[in-house]
Amino acid sequence: GAVVSQHPSWVICKSGTSVKIECRSLDFQATTMFWYRQFPKQSLMLMATSNEGSKATYEQGVEKDKFLINHASLTLSTLTVTSAHPEDSSFYICSARLGLAGVQETQYFGPGTRLLVL
Amino acid sequence: AQTVTQSQPEMSVQEAETVTLSCTYDTSESNYYLFWYKQPPSRQMILVIRQEAYKQQNATENRFSVNFQKAAKSFSLKISDSQLGDTAMYFCAFTNFGNEKLTFGTGTRLTIIP
């Protein structure tokens, strides 16, 4: 149980294009999903918290217009990197929180998406 | 602000041996959760074990167990009978009760030597 999928697993794009990454909770409903970025040999950096049906909450320093997040259903959140540039190249990971709203539970992670912007 | 510290950037151990990874945290809260996540070379983050702060009993999951010392704010992970598949980056993580965000440590890279 508690499986989270992410698609695509890797993507290469040209500078200036937009890329959409999907995160799905496969066997549970997730009221909250999270998007992280991870640089090589570093820990995870939280980018934003996504709640179903409401606007995402972004961490300080994360550009809202650059990283668009949509949480349209209890099983799907998407991250769109708009007008991608080489510095956006990174490993992006999503997670979904299992549990009732207001009750802290465990985050389960997707397999990640490797983005390379040329 | 909460912080999580993993003081061992890298560790290695022979297969079948026991290894302990250290983690300390700082918080003024009394209700919180602690986690150990494993990130193997595939980079998939996998939950290893979880501990609720209000529980005195240390969590155990098969070969994995924790030593939770609340007063000392310490949360170490013990891996018994280590296997080659345990080779991974291990992250300690913390969250307050009612706060959805996870605070991660910097990780410990564990290598199991055949």
Side-chain angles (χ1 to χ4, degrees):
Chain A
V3 178
V4 177
S5 70
Q6 219 173 309
H7 178 79
S9 57
W10 62 274
V11 58
I12 301 174
C13 69
K14 293 182 179 180
S15 184
T17 60
S18 294
V19 175
K20 180 185 284 188
I21 303 169
E22 290 187 350
C23 177
R24 293 182 185 272
S25 55
L26 297 184
D27 52 1
F28 66 99
Q29 293 185 329
T31 55
T32 306
M33 290 184 172
F34 304 84
W35 288 95
Y36 296 85
R37 186 171 178 175
Q38 186 180 33
F39 293 101
K41 297 185 178 182
Q42 293 190 22
S43 189
L44 279 69
M45 181 188 77
L46 180 65
M47 299 174 65
T49 302
S50 168
N51 288 292
E52 186 264 338
S54 62
K55 290 184 178 180
T57 302
Y58 290 81
E59 295 299 299
Q60 191 173 8
V62 177
E63 298 177 60
K64 300 178 182 181
D65 296 332
K66 162 68 99 176
F67 300 100
L68 299 179
I69 292 172
N70 182 270
H71 194 157
S73 77
L74 288 173
T75 59
L76 173 64
S77 177
T78 60
L79 168 68
T80 301
V81 184
T82 62
S83 187
H85 288 93
E87 57 267 28
D88 299 323
S89 298
S90 191
F91 189 66
Y92 293 88
I93 309 175
C94 73
S95 72
R97 187 174 68 91
L98 174 63
L100 299 175
V103 178
Q104 179 58 40
E105 263 292 346
T106 304
Q107 287 186 32
Y108 292 90
F109 287 82
T113 297
R114 190 182 304 274
L115 171 63
L116 177 61
V117 184
L118 302 177
Chain B
Q2 288 78 29
T3 59
V4 177
T5 302
Q6 293 179 250
S7 59
Q8 305 151 312
E10 293 187 19
M11 295 185 71
S12 60
V13 66
Q14 292 289 136
E15 190 177 5
E17 291 186 348
T18 295
V19 61
T20 299
L21 309 183
S22 300
C23 173
T24 59
Y25 57 95
D26 187 26
T27 182
S28 57
E29 302 293 329
S30 58
N31 291 328
Y32 51 87
Y33 298 80
L34 293 159
F35 307 86
W36 278 98
Y37 284 93
K38 165 186 175 180
Q39 189 178 39
S42 67
R43 302 190 78 173
Q44 165 80 63
M45 291 284 286
I46 301 166
L47 175 68
V48 175
I49 202 164
R50 154 198 160 130
Q51 174 82 43
E52 292 89 347
Y54 62 86
K55 290 186 178 179
Q56 293 186 338
Q57 187 173 7
N58 289 325
T60 299
E61 287 289 340
N62 300 313
R63 298 183 295 108
F64 299 88
S65 62
V66 298
N67 184 2
F68 173 48
Q69 301 290 328
K70 191 172 184 179
K73 297 180 181 176
S74 171
F75 182 62
S76 61
L77 174 70
K78 186 173 83 171
I79 305 175
S80 303
D81 185 27
S82 57
Q83 300 175 359
L84 296 179
D86 296 333
T87 291
M89 192 75 151
Y90 286 81
F91 292 100
C92 179
F94 166 100
T95 188
N96 280 326
F97 181 81
N99 183 351
E100 299 170 322
K101 298 180 185 179
L102 280 174
T103 300
F104 284 93
T106 51
T108 296
R109 184 172 302 278
L110 176 65
T111 301
I112 308 301
I113 303 168

